[in-house]
Amino acid sequence: MAFTLRKKEIMIDILVRLPAKSLVRFLCTCKSWSELIGSSSFVSTHLHRNVTKHAHVYLLCLHHPNFERNEDPDDPYVEQEFQWSLFSNETFEECSKLSHPLGSTEHYVIYGSSNGLVCISDEILNFDSPIHIWNPSVKKVRTPPMSTNINMKFSHVALQFGFHPGVNDYKAVRMMRTNKNALVVEVYSLKTDSWKMIEAIPPWIKCPWQHYKGTFFNGVAYHILQKGPIFSIMSFDSGSEEFQEFIAPDAICSPSELCMDVYKEQICLLFSFYSCEEEGMTKKDLWVMQEKRWKQLCPFIHPFDCDGTIGISIDNELLIERRDFDRGVAVLNLCNYESKQALETGIELAVIKYGEIEFFFVMTYIETLPFLN
């Protein structure tokens, strides 16, 4: 008996190190392997190892197919083509292209990535836009039911997705603003496969929204709000269903130079507006949220030829873009906080415009097994 248990432990220790795609193939090897790999305990062990050790990590990026684009991006009659792909987090080589899981040829946007699952929907969101939660590694997808809570048009819809460790559930948060700046919030639970309307909306949220990029961390959705000259961060906990507001530092005066993300397990703000004293370098001021207050850290310093801030990688490196205006793409660079060195990945991102605001889509993807069991 002891030998059998030890043999099983050794097998688990070997299998848990493998990528999800390989494990899916092993499901057909024999019944015992299928039961082992498909068990909830193995899925949890595999997930925990990949997340804590940053194993099987990729950069999930939106780019033009074959890194080419049509000649005139401003011509409304010219349709641009886009492609989501996984790139190695070490070599930056393209590993796989991600086609729509239901075979649709329409362009889609990924609104969050967490523990191997991604949330996709239409590029232009409305209350009835279909949402799909998808694990590309194991080719499994779930489509949440359509919400029956609302039936009206909105001037702006925001969608975020992630895992809430406090309630052990994956959540999708949909926030919708009416023309009169009223806010409607719905939360989808993967565990119950249902939507819930949030009734208690604080009055201070009634303000204009723009296409400012938010973030989702530990089950909490964060958005940037602007009230006249003042910027603030609104948070919504998808578990407790509580709202909070945090006034941004006084130095932040322009939304176009502001980026919000997660740095060393803390919500952070990056602001690239003020000049750098080091010749040939530029800086991005950095604040992190500690005990519900903003603490300013030493800024990110990087070479001047890099432009806008996209976010922060799983390795706490700054994701910045260097624009190639002639080709209409943005080359992705990684900036190390300590060494101040910028590494060009060679990944050429597509430029997405919403009015005057430009977006680049790149996020971390960890290959894991959720949806297998």
Side-chain angles (χ1 to χ4, degrees):
M1 177 66 74
F3 176 76
T4 302
L5 291 175
R6 180 57 180 163
K7 183 179 178 181
K8 183 177 181 180
E9 290 175 357
I10 294 174
M11 181 180 295
I12 292 175
D13 187 59
I14 294 173
L15 293 176
V16 80
R17 301 169 187 270
L18 299 179
K21 292 179 180 178
S22 298
L23 293 172
V24 170
R25 291 197 295 268
F26 291 162
L27 288 172
C28 302
T29 303
C30 62
K31 182 179 179 181
S32 61
W33 279 36
S34 177
E35 292 176 348
L36 172 62
I37 296 172
S39 66
S40 58
S41 60
F42 183 86
V43 171
S44 299
T45 302
H46 186 266
L47 170 63
H48 178 74
R49 183 184 186 278
N50 285 359
V51 171
T52 55
K53 294 184 177 296
H54 294 180
H56 308 301
V57 173
Y58 299 87
L59 291 172
L60 178 54
C61 305
L62 182 66
H63 61 91
H64 296 285
N66 302 317
F67 302 116
E68 297 293 338
R69 60 169 295 162
N70 294 323
E71 292 297 326
D72 188 359
D74 297 321
D75 186 345
Y77 298 102
V78 176
E79 182 177 355
Q80 299 296 318
E81 295 185 8
F82 303 100
Q83 173 69 55
W84 286 96
S85 295
L86 292 174
F87 294 83
S88 168
N89 194 49
E90 298 177 353
T91 66
F92 310 118
E93 295 179 354
E94 186 178 15
C95 299
S96 61
K97 291 180 171 62
L98 301 185
S99 300
H100 195 288
L102 300 182
S104 172
T105 58
E106 296 294 325
H107 170 53
Y108 65 92
V109 170
I110 296 177
Y111 290 94
S113 172
S114 179
N115 299 341
L117 302 183
V118 297
C119 178
I120 69 174
S121 189
D122 299 337
E123 179 181 4
I124 305 300
L125 291 171
N126 202 351
F127 78 94
D128 57 354
S129 295
I131 296 173
H132 308 289
I133 300 175
W134 174 33
N135 186 330
S137 300
V138 301
K139 301 186 183 332
K140 297 287 186 178
V141 63
R142 180 180 297 181
T143 301
M146 297 295 292
S147 170
T148 59
N149 295 325
I150 49 178
N151 185 16
M152 59 187 297
K153 294 291 184 180
F154 295 90
S155 59
H156 177 61
V157 179
L159 176 63
Q160 293 173 291
F161 169 80
F163 181 70
H164 196 308
V167 296
N168 192 31
D169 193 9
Y170 292 88
K171 302 277 191 174
V173 177
R174 185 161 51 191
M175 297 188 179
M176 299 157 284
R177 176 171 62 86
T178 68
N179 291 326
K180 296 183 179 180
N181 293 328
L183 182 67
V184 177
V185 179
E186 283 190 310
V187 178
Y188 170 76
S189 163
L190 185 63
K191 185 182 295 185
T192 63
D193 192 30
S194 62
W195 290 92
K196 180 180 180 180
M197 175 77 76
I198 304 304
E199 302 291 345
I201 306 295
W204 53 262
I205 297 181
K206 189 175 182 180
C207 63
W209 276 30
Q210 301 294 330
H211 282 283
Y212 304 145
K213 186 178 179 182
T215 192
F216 194 99
F217 178 61
N218 279 346
V220 182
Y222 295 87
H223 284 276
I224 299 172
L225 301 182
Q226 182 176 2
K227 302 177 182 179
I230 299 176
F231 291 89
S232 64
I233 306 303
M234 173 191 68
S235 72
F236 170 73
D237 190 316
S238 60
S240 66
E241 301 175 357
E242 295 178 347
F243 292 86
Q244 291 191 70
E245 183 181 24
F246 308 96
I247 303 300
D250 293 338
I252 295 176
C253 57
S254 170
S256 61
E257 306 296 334
L258 179 60
C259 174
M260 177 170 55
D261 212 313
V262 178
Y263 177 69
K264 293 186 176 181
E265 299 295 306
Q266 300 171 104
I267 291 296
C268 74
L269 298 176
L270 287 157
F271 188 58
S272 52
F273 184 80
Y274 302 103
S275 60
C276 181
E277 296 178 356
E278 296 186 40
E279 185 176 354
M281 306 290 280
T282 187
K283 74 170 182 175
K284 301 188 186 299
D285 292 300
L286 172 65
W287 292 266
V288 296
M289 176 69 72
Q290 293 184 351
E291 298 180 352
K292 299 184 178 182
R293 293 186 178 184
W294 297 110
K295 178 181 179 181
Q296 186 167 14
L297 305 182
C298 294
F300 271 101
I301 306 292
H302 61 83
F304 186 72
D305 62 351
C306 296
D307 299 316
T309 307
I310 302 174
I312 295 177
S313 75
I314 193 173
D315 299 315
N316 295 307
E317 292 182 312
L318 192 64
L319 301 171
I320 49 182
E321 53 92 5
R322 180 176 56 79
R323 188 68 58 87
D324 185 334
F325 290 97
D326 293 334
R327 300 180 58 234
V329 298
V331 180
L332 177 63
N333 290 258
L334 300 181
C335 177
N336 185 278
Y337 184 59
E338 282 78 20
S339 69
K340 303 179 183 178
Q341 297 297 311
L343 173 64
E344 186 171 308
T345 67
I347 301 173
E348 298 181 336
L349 305 173
V351 182
I352 307 296
K353 288 187 176 182
Y354 299 106
E356 298 299 320
I357 302 177
E358 296 180 335
F359 278 88
F360 310 92
F361 291 95
V362 53
M363 61 194 74
T364 296
Y365 178 80
I366 302 177
E367 190 177 275
T368 56
L369 292 171
F371 277 3
L372 189 58
N373 53 355

CSV table of all heavy atoms in Angstrom, one decimal, residues 1 88 287 290 371:
chain,number,residue,atom,x,y,z
A,1,MET,N,0.8,-1.2,0.0
A,1,MET,CA,0.0,0.0,0.0
A,1,MET,C,0.9,1.3,0.0
A,1,MET,O,0.6,2.2,-0.7
A,1,MET,CB,-0.9,0.0,1.2
A,1,MET,CG,-1.8,1.2,1.4
A,1,MET,SD,-3.0,1.4,0.0
A,1,MET,CE,-4.2,0.2,0.5
A,88,SER,N,5.5,33.6,-26.0
A,88,SER,CA,6.3,33.1,-24.9
A,88,SER,C,6.7,34.3,-24.1
A,88,SER,O,7.2,35.4,-24.6
A,88,SER,CB,7.6,32.4,-25.5
A,88,SER,OG,8.5,32.2,-24.4
A,287,TRP,N,2.6,55.3,-7.8
A,287,TRP,CA,1.9,55.3,-6.5
A,287,TRP,C,1.3,53.9,-6.3
A,287,TRP,O,0.8,53.3,-7.3
A,287,TRP,CB,0.8,56.3,-6.4
A,287,TRP,CG,1.2,57.8,-6.4
A,287,TRP,CD1,1.5,58.5,-5.3
A,287,TRP,CD2,1.4,58.6,-7.5
A,287,TRP,NE1,1.8,59.8,-5.7
A,287,TRP,CE2,1.8,59.9,-7.1
A,287,TRP,CE3,1.3,58.4,-8.9
A,287,TRP,CZ2,2.0,60.9,-7.9
A,287,TRP,CZ3,1.6,59.4,-9.8
A,287,TRP,CH2,1.9,60.7,-9.3
A,290,GLN,N,-1.8,51.5,-0.3
A,290,GLN,CA,-1.4,50.8,0.9
A,290,GLN,C,-2.3,51.3,2.1
A,290,GLN,O,-2.4,52.5,2.3
A,290,GLN,CB,0.0,51.0,1.3
A,290,GLN,CG,1.0,50.4,0.4
A,290,GLN,CD,2.5,50.6,0.8
A,290,GLN,OE1,2.8,51.3,1.8
A,290,GLN,NE2,3.4,49.9,0.2
A,371,PHE,N,-12.2,24.2,-15.9
A,371,PHE,CA,-13.2,23.8,-16.9
A,371,PHE,C,-12.9,22.3,-17.3
A,371,PHE,O,-13.7,21.7,-18.0
A,371,PHE,CB,-13.2,24.6,-18.2
A,371,PHE,CG,-14.0,25.8,-18.0
A,371,PHE,CD1,-14.6,26.2,-16.8
A,371,PHE,CD2,-14.2,26.7,-19.1
A,371,PHE,CE1,-15.4,27.3,-16.8
A,371,PHE,CE2,-15.0,27.8,-19.1
A,371,PHE,CZ,-15.6,28.2,-17.9
